[in-house]
Every structure is written in C-alpha cells, then in structure tokens.
Amino acid sequence: MNGAVATEATRRRAQPGANGKTSGQREEPAQWGRAWEVDWFSLSAVIGLLCFAPFIVFYFVMACDQYQCSISQPVVELYRGEATLLTIWARAPSFTWTAAKIYAIWVAFQLFLYMCVPDVMHKFIPGFVGGVQDGARTPAGLINKYEINGLQCWLITHVLWIANAHYLHWFSPTIIFDNWIPLMWCANILGYAVSTFAFLKAYLFPTNSEDCKFTGNVFYNYMMGIEFNPRIGKWFDFKLFFNGRPGIIAWTLINLSYMAKQQELYGHVTNSMILVNVLQAIYVLDFFWNEAWYLKTIDICHDHFGWYLGWGDCVWLPYLYTLQGLYLVYHPVQLSDAHALAVLLLGLVGYYAFRSTNHQKDLFRRTDGNCSIWGGKPAYIECSYRSADGGLHRSKLMTSGFWGVARHFNYTGDLMGCLAYCAACGFGHLLPYFYLVYMTILLVHRCVRDEHRCGSKYGKDWKRYTDAVPYRLIPGVF
C-alpha cells in the first residue's frame, strides 16, 4: 500500500474443517483488489477523462506556444470571436517525421537499457537496492520478480546528454523544446498504442488470468486496465517500464532542455529555472534510488495496467509535470534572494517529510516491526486478509512516527514539494499552479481510493486503524 503501513508475515493456507468452513477463524478475513462492478459516478469520470484529458494536455501546451502561457486568453478570444477552435488547431505544430525519429530512438534506447543492461550499481554503492528484487504479492497470491536498474539507466542517459551538450554535439540540447508539440503527437501515438495492446492482450493472452479483472464495462476496462501485471516474456513489465523509463527519466532531460533554451534566448539562466531543475531532480533521483521500494506502492500493488497508466505515463506525466520549466522559458522569472530561499526551504522540508515518512514505512516492513521509530519501538495493529488463491496473510499497520500523525503524511510532504515548484515561477500566471491543483486532487483521490481498498482488504481491522490514526493528510484538519 502507498498509504497505511503494513508488513506481511509468511502466508499460510487456511484449512477447511468438517463443515466446510475455515477452522480456527472466528471471522472471514477480507479480500482485496479492484472492484468487479462499476457505479455510474465512476463510469462518468472514466468517460470524461478519456474524452477530455488529451485536450487538457494540448490546451496547456498550446497556451504557452500561442498565448505566452495565458490560460484565459484563448477562452476570451473564442468568446469574442477573435479565434475559432479550427484556427487555434491550425496554428499548432503538427506531427513531423523528425519528431517521430527522435521519439522512436528515445524509447528504443530506454528499452535497450531496461532489458539489456542488468544493474551493477548495487554491487558497489552502499545502501542501494538494485538488481533482481521481489515485488508485492498480487491479489492472486503471486510474487513477481523485477530487474531494478532505473538509477543506472538514469545515470547513463544523463551522462550521455551532458557529454553531447559539451563535447559530442550530436544534437542541440534544446532539441526537446524545439520539437515539443510534434513530440506530443508521437507520445500520444505510443500511449494509445500500448494501452490498446494491453487491453487486447488481457482478452487474448494474459500473463496471469487469475490477476485479470473484467468489470463488464468496456470503457472502465480500457481506462483502468484488466491485467494486473502484464508482461512480455519473463522481464518486460509494462508497469515498471512505462512509468519509470520513458516518462520519469525524460522529466529531468526535459527540464535541462528548457534550461538550455532559456540560456539560448536570454543569454542567462534564472535562479527560478535552477530551483525547478534542482528540486524536481531530487524527486526523480529519490524515485530511482528507492525503485525497489516503489514496487510496494499503489501503482504496482493495486492499479491494473490500462490507459490510465499507459497513456498517462507517456503523455500526461512528461507534459504536465514539467509545466513550470516550460513557463519559465516564456517568462524568465528572477526571484529575490528571500523568495528563492523560501522556495528552496519549502521544497527541502517537503522532501524531508516525504522521504522520512516513506523510510519509516520501509524500515517497519523490512524488520517486521522490530525497529526504532522516533526513539522507541513502533506501535501497530495486527490484521489479516485473504488473497484470491485462498491464502491467509497477516499484516501489521503502524501507528507510530509520521504514520501516527496522519495516515498519508508522505502525501503531505509531496504536496509541499509541489507548492515549491510552482512558487518558483512567481505569481504572474495561473498555469504553473495547475500541477499543484492536479496533484492535490490526485493525492486526495488516492487517499480515498487506497482506504476503500484497505477497508475491503482488512475489514474491521482497518476500522481499528482509522480510529487510532483519525486524520489522512493534515492533523486536526483532514
């Protein structure tokens, strides 16, 4: 789970008694996983996202390209009749084969690093967990193995990028910005292609049919996914590759390209651009340093692979998570020393809260609760649940440390970091703050979604946990 902290004991199979009921169990443990049926509200939200999410991405990128990052000016011009949807569309750069070549080389290179270059960094970097690692148990009771080499892929990619910028000169460091909208069309093609392939694969040749969930609604199945861990062969995992490779590795490269463009246009790089690059690079490096821990988060543990992850990782993440850097190319904000220091401190404090909270969770899991949290032995609640294969499992939900302050305090730190990225852009436009609004909605929704699943998984034990830790994000407020 990504919210509440749980550590699992060794599985044991429940034995049926003479009357057909499980012996020694006073109460049937809950079973977890995504819902089998879809309510009308969820279906409406799914169809709305399928229809409007691609246009949201286009709107923000177009607003920077045509309206200097004003998100209100296009609406005003449409209202006054000074522009039409067709004229706005016609002014946007279209698909180009140059962008297609760049994008194909990028994805192929990341695929090569992911599949063909096993991790060696864990052999000589103390404390780093890489190489072959076990994932979390799936609803069907399986444990998949993963090759954790994301940090190595990130370093190789960025060393080559820096070497090219300073010595090799194979391409301009502004190549991403210069082809930004044509690359968006390429990213959409890949996002829809991989989502559609995963959808059809679930029907025709699923990796593990026991971990598939068909809701009976084609829109929900397509968006939220059917297969839990679709794979090709033994090692190519759709979830880990598409979330961690073309998307997140690209994040810092995109910011570097923005920085290079700012230098090219204005002859200098602003302190706001440096802050955005540094703070977001810390977050990205944290992700890859803790990639083995990521295997235990909601994306891997609970989400099935569909359009939500496939298209989202290819398009939504690289285009909307980098809006601050894009804005600063068009509006090179130079912050006062006090403003810059406040942004830096907010970002670092947010990162500390985010990382420390997750570290406590990881430590608690690895030691089965036999550790020290804030100078004392952690308190926890014993609970049990059953997987789809009938296996009975035991877990511990920690109620100490940051996890005793709020059930998702790691999200609180995450949102502080989001606010720092946005505040680095000043207060001249709303566009950079979309990221904060989106992440607030996403993480609050994740709180609710995660807790709904935990309630189904742990039953009355989850109620005991929420009574012990009553707040989700902000103590005394929510």
Side-chain angles (χ1 to χ4, degrees), residues 19 99 154 291 334:
N19 59 357
W154 187 92
E291 190 175 18
Q334 182 69 23

Side-chain angles (χ1 to χ4, degrees), residues 415 418 434-446 473:
L415 289 174
C418 296
F434 171 80
Y435 181 64
L436 176 62
V437 173
Y438 161 72
M439 288 299 293
T440 301
I441 295 171
L442 173 71
L443 294 180
V444 169
H445 177 254
R446 278 198 170 189
L473 289 173

Side-chain angles (χ1 to χ4, degrees), residues 194 247 295 324 352 435:
V194 71
L295 300 179
Q324 292 78 34
Y352 173 79
Y435 181 64

Side-chain angles (χ1 to χ4, degrees), residues 204-218:
L204 301 177
F205 51 101
T207 302
N208 177 32
S209 58
E210 293 181 0
D211 269 325
C212 291
K213 281 201 172 182
F214 300 87
T215 64
N217 185 282
V218 66

Side-chain angles (χ1 to χ4, degrees), residues 84-97:
T84 66
L85 293 177
L86 289 178
T87 59
I88 291 175
W89 179 265
R91 290 198 299 263
S94 60
F95 170 90
T96 67
W97 286 108

Side-chain angles (χ1 to χ4, degrees), residues 117-131:
V117 188
D119 184 75
V120 297
M121 299 187 66
H122 68 282
K123 297 180 179 180
F124 57 86
I125 299 182
F128 175 66
V129 179

